[in-house]
Structure formats: C-alpha cells, structure tokens
Amino acid sequence: MLGLFRRAKQPRALPEDELARRLLAPGYRCACCNEVLDAANAVRLRPIGWPHPPAPEPEDALERSGDVITERYARRGRDMLVRAHLPIPVQGTEGHVFLSVWANLSLGDFARFRSAQGRGDADRLGDLFAWLYSRVPASTGPVLTKGLLVPVSEGGMPVYWITDPKHPLHAAQLDGGMSAGDILALYEDLGAADLVGHLRA
C-alpha cells in the first residue's frame, strides 16, 4: 500500500554540455523513440496576429490580392513579410540555434528583396530595417521590435538581428548567447514542448 504514495521518479537532470550537444547535433537520435531531430532549426513561429495561418502556397500566390503565406514570404493586410532566421548563440559552444521568424519590410524594400532573392544576389542590398513580426518570447515579448534583416547570397534565408536593447533577446544575440537549458525553456514558451521532451529524454 505504501508504494501507492511514493513520489513519481523525476527524470534525471542532464548536464548543460549534454543538453547543448543534443540541441546542436543535426542528426541527434532521441533516446526514447529513436526519432532523428534537428533541434537547432526546428522552431518555426507564426506571424503576429495570425493564430491559424493556412498551409503555405506556391510563391506566385503573392500576385493575387488578400492574405497569403508561402514558405518564404507572406502578406497580412498591408504588411509584407519575409521569413528569416533569428540566431541565438549557445553558451559554451561555437554553435547557434536559429528560430524561424517573420520580419515586416516596407513595400519598397520587400519588392527589392524579393527581386534580388530571385537573382541570387540579395546580399548586395545590405542590411534592411524590419520589424520583428513574431512574438519572442511568446508570453512576454513585445509586439513591436526593431531590427535588421541581413540578406545572404544565393537565395539563402536571411538573418534577423534585434536592435532594440529593451528586447529580452537583444543581449543574448550580441553578448554571449544563452545556456542550453534557457534555450529549451524558450522553446517551451514558443510551443515546442514536445521537442524539449525528446531532448531531455
């Protein structure tokens, strides 16, 4: 009878270096289910104010009117959005995780960026001012955040750098990053609790 009242066994706490290894390994195989994970690139956020965006459409859907989302671009009302990687260094390593976020460009910069992406020379545009259009952290992050969209060559996904020093991730991006444990807590806040469970198994 006494066994019924015993506390459930708590999962063992993993050292930070092991969490970091699992977080950054592109082919990490989960210990509990053998699933292969790419946790550093797994978190994809939706645009602010769009709780249930439709499945991505082909890119030429942008030519029609109304709200539309593709793999790389979106239009929400009058806002023109670009999907970007928001890098966060993992403390104690040379690696980064990359949150997939949305950035809002002006109409002119959006047209210039999309055209240059098609040619493969968007990196020649230089840094573009853009508002972060995903809420990070989801529970406490500000709705409007200033930043820079940095294009990369050969049509690769651009990188987003937060420039507002009041944003909770500004210092993490620039000054040494976050611990693996804190990044997993951020993943949970962003709705990736299942992924975190695999990494901690």
Side-chain angles (χ1 to χ4, degrees):
M1 286 293 291
L2 291 176
L4 296 175
F5 300 100
R6 287 179 183 158
R7 290 183 179 178
K9 190 175 182 181
Q10 296 295 317
R12 61 190 173 89
L14 293 171
E16 277 290 318
D17 59 346
E18 176 60 15
L19 284 178
R21 185 189 72 79
R22 295 181 181 192
L23 190 58
L24 294 173
Y28 173 68
R29 196 173 290 276
C30 176
C32 68
C33 66
N34 221 28
E35 182 178 346
V36 176
L37 307 172
D38 179 12
N41 298 285
V43 177
R44 292 167 57 101
L45 305 181
R46 61 176 176 78
I48 286 175
W50 208 342
H52 304 291
E57 299 186 61
E59 203 166 298
D60 59 7
L62 285 166
E63 307 308 324
R64 68 170 191 258
S65 61
D67 294 347
V68 64
I69 191 166
T70 74
E71 280 295 333
R72 299 196 299 172
Y73 306 107
R75 180 175 53 243
R76 179 70 166 161
R78 293 183 295 176
D79 295 329
M80 303 304 295
L81 313 178
V82 173
R83 193 187 293 277
H85 279 145
L86 189 155
I88 303 173
V90 182
Q91 288 176 354
T93 77
E94 297 296 318
H96 296 69
V97 297
F98 297 92
L99 304 180
S100 179
V101 299
W102 291 95
N104 182 13
L105 290 172
S106 69
L107 290 176
D109 281 347
F110 180 87
R112 289 171 57 229
F113 177 81
R114 188 176 172 210
S115 177
Q117 278 286 79
R119 297 191 304 269
D121 61 0
D123 55 313
R124 296 183 182 178
L125 294 174
D127 300 348
L128 302 170
F129 173 81
W131 294 98
L132 181 61
Y133 211 87
S134 297
R135 194 168 184 189
V136 186
S139 56
T140 59
V143 174
L144 292 176
T145 299
K146 294 178 182 179
L148 293 174
L149 186 79
V150 181
V152 300
S153 61
E154 299 180 0
M157 187 174 294
V159 176
Y160 189 85
W161 293 96
I162 295 168
T163 58
D164 183 351
K166 294 181 180 178
H167 192 281
L169 293 189
H170 178 262
Q173 275 198 297
L174 299 179
D175 300 329
M178 297 170 64
S179 71
D182 286 343
I183 290 172
L184 292 190
L186 176 64
Y187 275 19
E188 286 187 300
D189 176 77
L190 295 173
D194 287 348
L195 172 64
V196 172
H198 287 297
L199 293 172
R200 292 191 181 279

